[in-house]
Amino acid sequence: FTNLAPHGNVGWEAIQLVVLAMLWAWSDRSTLTKGFDDARQLAIEMFGSVAVNTYQGLTGALRSYTDQLLPQLWSHMQQRMEQTAGEHWRIGRWLALAVDGSRITTPRTVSNEQAFAIKNYGHGRKAKQRCKWKNKKRRSKRISEPVKPQIWLTLIWHMGLKLPWCWRTGPSTASERGHLLELLTTAVFPSCTLFCGDAGFVGYEFWRNIVDHGHSFLIRVGANVHLLKNLGTARQSHGVVFLWPSQAARKRQPPLVLRLLTFQGPRGKVYLVTNILSNRDLSARQAGQLYRLRWGVELQFRTFKQTFRRSKLRSRTADNALVELHWSLVGLSLVQLFAVKEQIKVDSPPEQSSAALALSAIQDAMRNWSRMTSDPAALARQLRAARKDT
């Protein structure tokens, strides 16, 4: 954290703040303040000092410095992921990253409502009238009832290691496509990065931005995407299609040349498009495998909300809610990385790793840290054993 530039009167080092934030995020106490009390006491016992002595001091420091710390943490964790991964780092030649979004609920306070809630919900011109629904039981809830304030979280997820790569947050009305475009310019992605997404990640300008940044994509498409065939007189290989909306054509922008892949799914045909035209670089079999692996990002959201108990945040102000969300994500990512690192050493694949058991091992070590110091390998053994029941 040598690039961090804290205010002149700050008495802590960045690593002290990060350690305290991690112990706070890992705590299993029911309230944030009790979690901080445990983290503070543990930091003092383990290291002899603590960054700040109050919960307000911790949240204040994290509000001020999270934007600087987070990119450095991402970069460091990504380096550790690459060092750990071995054959799981890439799938074929591709560093495969799934992208998806989900909403995280916050307490209904004035601050959270103003920052995250949908304004004028149910009063827009296109709002459906529930009084016209045929099912009488569903009419009872008025459509104008306010929706709980929620933070929109767009997550980039490493498909080989089953670990978060980076993320972006916004109000509940935010766009996951917009978040990914922002991350393309602010985050670091290695060469031959392949983004995998569902039918929400479509659009001429969106795909063109990914290509212009030197990356590739594999996206499921539906009837809302109009693709063209046999555009021009040149001879074309099988599966090549074009995306060239009339608005782009009027602006004299070139068509996007894509490849359409069709698979038979359990509920019908599945259509995928990619800008990788060569079957040698991405075969149909690899594309099908990658799209099936993309489902793991949905399980990551479930792990975060249910296993890590973050389906509803506890912070009552908007700034603190964002701090709680960011450091909870970092905390869970580190727990999963610790476990995967140990399990790869004994040839156990990342898909067998159990986040619940790994988190339990970390929290047990926090409660019994002095016992752990007499057997330094105990935590490694517990993390190695944190695997799903076969």
Side-chain angles (χ1 to χ4, degrees):
F1 303 107
T2 53
N3 295 328
L4 185 73
H7 193 270
N9 60 358
V10 167
W12 43 259
E13 295 181 3
I15 189 63
Q16 290 179 300
L17 182 65
V18 171
V19 165
L20 183 61
M22 286 300 88
L23 296 175
W24 173 59
W26 290 337
S27 172
D28 57 359
R29 298 297 289 266
S30 59
T31 66
L32 296 172
T33 51
K34 288 181 179 178
F36 170 79
D37 291 339
D38 285 354
R40 173 184 172 276
Q41 184 63 34
L42 187 56
I44 292 174
E45 291 176 359
M46 292 172 66
F47 306 110
S49 64
V50 67
V52 293
N53 282 293
T54 64
Y55 171 71
Q56 290 76 15
L58 174 67
T59 54
L62 293 179
R63 286 197 304 268
S64 298
Y65 296 102
T66 291
D67 288 344
Q68 294 182 55
L69 288 169
L70 204 55
Q72 296 183 55
L73 280 165
W74 286 343
S75 176
H76 192 69
M77 286 193 291
Q78 289 158 13
Q79 291 174 27
R80 291 302 178 100
M81 287 162 65
E82 184 175 8
Q83 293 166 8
T84 297
E87 63 181 11
H88 305 287
W89 181 242
R90 292 182 181 269
I91 299 174
R93 62 174 295 190
W94 304 103
L95 186 128
L97 299 176
V99 54
D100 204 0
S102 184
R103 290 185 173 93
I104 311 295
T105 302
T106 66
R108 183 170 278 169
T109 62
V110 172
S111 176
N112 289 337
E113 289 270 6
Q114 291 176 345
F116 307 127
I118 301 174
K119 305 296 189 295
N120 301 318
Y121 177 77
H123 296 284
R125 294 170 62 184
K126 296 183 179 181
K128 294 180 180 179
Q129 296 297 320
R130 294 188 180 181
C131 61
K132 296 180 181 179
W133 287 1
K134 293 181 180 179
N135 189 331
K136 294 182 180 180
K137 292 182 179 179
R138 297 179 68 189
R139 297 185 196 177
S140 58
K141 187 177 178 182
R142 296 184 59 186
I143 195 166
S144 57
E145 183 176 327
V147 176
K148 294 178 181 177
Q150 296 174 314
I151 301 174
W152 183 268
L153 170 65
T154 301
L155 182 67
I156 311 292
W157 185 77
H158 192 284
M159 292 162 59
L161 287 170
K162 321 298 180 190
L163 293 172
W165 181 269
C166 62
W167 54 85
R168 193 82 176 180
T169 60
S172 56
T173 54
S175 161
E176 54 191 359
R177 288 185 294 178
H179 280 171
L180 178 55
L181 293 180
E182 291 174 19
L183 287 168
L184 286 175
T185 58
T186 58
V188 176
F189 300 101
S191 61
C192 296
T193 292
L194 175 67
F195 293 102
C196 299
D198 61 12
F201 293 90
V202 297
Y204 177 86
E205 292 295 339
F206 176 71
W207 287 347
R208 188 178 174 190
N209 261 285
I210 294 177
V211 174
D212 288 347
H213 280 88
H215 305 306
S216 302
F217 58 84
L218 179 70
I219 307 291
R220 181 169 66 86
V221 294
N224 60 327
V225 178
H226 185 204
L227 300 171
L228 307 174
K229 292 183 178 180
N230 302 320
L231 191 62
T233 57
R235 193 173 187 180
Q236 293 155 11
S237 60
H238 178 69
V240 170
V241 293
F242 302 87
L243 180 66
W244 201 20
S246 55
Q247 186 176 6
R250 285 194 296 270
K251 293 180 180 179
R252 300 183 181 276
Q253 294 175 323
L256 282 178
V257 185
L258 307 169
R259 182 158 61 112
L260 179 65
L261 301 164
T262 306
F263 301 92
Q264 184 62 45
R267 299 181 183 178
K269 289 187 176 180
V270 176
Y271 299 93
L272 306 177
V273 294
T274 177
N275 64 322
I276 305 168
L277 303 182
S278 170
N279 188 66
R280 186 182 307 168
D281 292 335
L282 180 68
S283 66
R285 182 179 179 181
Q286 274 185 321
Q289 175 196 6
L290 286 166
Y291 189 72
R292 287 190 295 272
L293 290 173
R294 188 211 68 84
W295 175 252
V297 70
E298 306 281 0
L299 302 181
Q300 181 70 39
F301 282 124
R302 189 181 71 179
T303 298
F304 182 71
K305 292 180 179 182
Q306 305 302 325
T307 306
F308 204 41
R309 296 186 296 178
R310 296 302 194 276
S311 60
K312 183 176 181 179
L313 302 178
R314 293 166 286 181
S315 299
R316 301 184 61 80
T317 63
D319 289 343
N320 283 0
L322 289 172
V323 162
E324 182 187 354
L325 177 56
H326 283 305
W327 290 94
S328 295
L329 285 163
V330 174
L332 180 59
S333 301
L334 277 177
V335 169
Q336 292 178 278
L337 178 55
F338 290 157
V340 167
K341 170 177 175 283
E342 294 300 328
Q343 291 162 20
I344 286 178
K345 290 179 181 178
V346 293
D347 295 326
S348 179
E351 55 265 25
Q352 287 299 318
S353 184
S354 167
L357 294 178
L359 180 62
S360 177
I362 293 292
Q363 291 173 341
D364 180 62
M366 290 173 64
R367 286 188 292 268
N368 304 286
W369 76 272
S370 57
R371 186 189 71 198
M372 290 287 179
T373 57
S374 62
D375 185 7
L379 178 58
R381 288 197 302 271
Q382 289 186 33
L383 290 171
R384 214 165 286 167
R387 289 178 281 181
K388 298 174 184 175
D389 190 349
T390 58

